[in-house]
Amino acid sequence: SDLTTKAASVGVAITKEGQVFINGRPFGEEALIAELSRFAKEAPETNFLISADTETKHGEVVRLIDLLKVNGLHRFALQ
């Protein structure tokens, strides 16, 4: 599907187990990296709205932010 037809904001959730969901779809490590690379190429202006369970480890959130930055995706906010 063409990412440019999607909304400019994307919800990213991290569970306390460290599972990452993008717009409600679960992503494993390799799939997450591939998806972020795809956003970087097709929709680099996307805003990522990051929400985490209160019991999510801080390091999991930092790791996700690092993955966004590595892919040149600098528009994100913590909810």
Side-chain angles (χ1 to χ4, degrees), residues 27-67:
F27 283 83
E29 187 70 16
E30 287 182 27
L32 175 62
I33 291 167
E35 185 73 353
L36 293 180
S37 173
R38 198 165 73 94
F39 271 107
K41 205 164 41 183
E42 297 177 27
E45 298 299 306
T46 300
N47 292 301
F48 292 88
L49 305 176
I50 303 166
S51 60
D53 189 285
T54 54
E55 295 175 42
T56 300
K57 289 186 180 78
H58 178 74
E60 295 288 345
V61 178
V62 171
R63 189 180 66 84
L64 174 63
I65 290 171
D66 286 344
L67 281 175

Side-chain angles (χ1 to χ4, degrees), residues 6-14 20-27 32 35-36 39 46-52 64 68 75-77 79:
K6 291 187 181 171
S9 293
V10 170
V12 183
I14 310 172
V20 175
F21 289 81
I22 298 178
N23 283 342
R25 285 180 46 219
F27 283 83
L32 175 62
E35 185 73 353
L36 293 180
F39 271 107
T46 300
N47 292 301
F48 292 88
L49 305 176
I50 303 166
S51 60
L64 174 63
L68 289 170
R75 299 176 68 141
F76 57 85
Q79 291 189 304

